[in-house]
Amino acid sequence: MTGKTHAAAGAFVGAALGHLAGEPYLGLALGALGGLLPDVDHPGSWAGRRLRPVAVTLEALFGHRTVTHTLWFALFLGGLGALLSACLRGLVALSAWLAALALFLGAISHLALDACTRSGVEPLAPVHGWHVRGPLTT
């Protein structure tokens, strides 16, 4: 899938969640970010261009669609969102659970979309080698 598709899907789930919390724009932004961050393992992606040293290192060590395309990375993003929002609580009115869930669900939307492609993903690697693939090409 493309970065625009991942951002749109993440924004949608984040905005829906944010609407329930009374912060639709915050949810939209965090969901879109969560939808884009799993591609930080590819230097040409939106996230990879902004975090180039991380992207180059991840691609060299693991390749694309590996460690950042798992449930564990989505959980990591959610935890990071909760931690950062808790640290910024005095400066910015962020709800820790909204940040955690929007980033997590944005990343999950990324995995779901990539699972629809022929390359697919291994969402439970390295614990389980289940490879989910679909019929789409990008």
Side-chain angles (χ1 to χ4, degrees), residues 37-63:
L37 283 176
D39 276 339
V40 72
D41 63 354
H42 189 283
S45 71
W46 180 89
R49 288 190 309 271
R50 281 146 186 85
L51 300 168
R52 188 149 180 83
V54 174
V56 170
T57 302
L58 285 172
E59 187 180 50
L61 291 176
F62 305 107

Side-chain angles (χ1 to χ4, degrees), residues 3-135:
K4 290 178 184 177
T5 307
H6 287 308
F12 176 78
V13 295
L17 178 67
H19 175 73
L20 295 174
E23 295 278 357
Y25 298 113
L26 179 61
L28 181 141
L30 291 172
L33 182 62
L36 290 168
L37 283 176
D39 276 339
V40 72
D41 63 354
H42 189 283
S45 71
W46 180 89
R49 288 190 309 271
R50 281 146 186 85
L51 300 168
R52 188 149 180 83
V54 174
V56 170
T57 302
L58 285 172
E59 187 180 50
L61 291 176
F62 305 107
H64 183 52
R65 286 193 182 180
T66 57
V67 294
T68 63
H69 285 70
T70 63
L71 174 64
W72 323 121
F73 185 74
L75 288 168
F76 168 76
L77 286 180
L80 186 62
L83 179 65
L84 289 175
S85 66
C87 291
L88 296 173
R89 186 170 290 163
L91 302 174
V92 181
L94 287 179
S95 172
W97 71 268
L98 173 60
L101 280 175
L103 285 168
F104 171 75
L105 291 176
I108 292 296
S109 74
H110 185 111
L111 298 182
L113 287 171
D114 278 357
C116 294
T117 67
R118 290 183 187 199
S119 298
V121 294
E122 291 186 41
L124 300 176
V127 176
H128 192 283
W130 178 45
H131 199 126
V132 185
R133 291 186 177 105

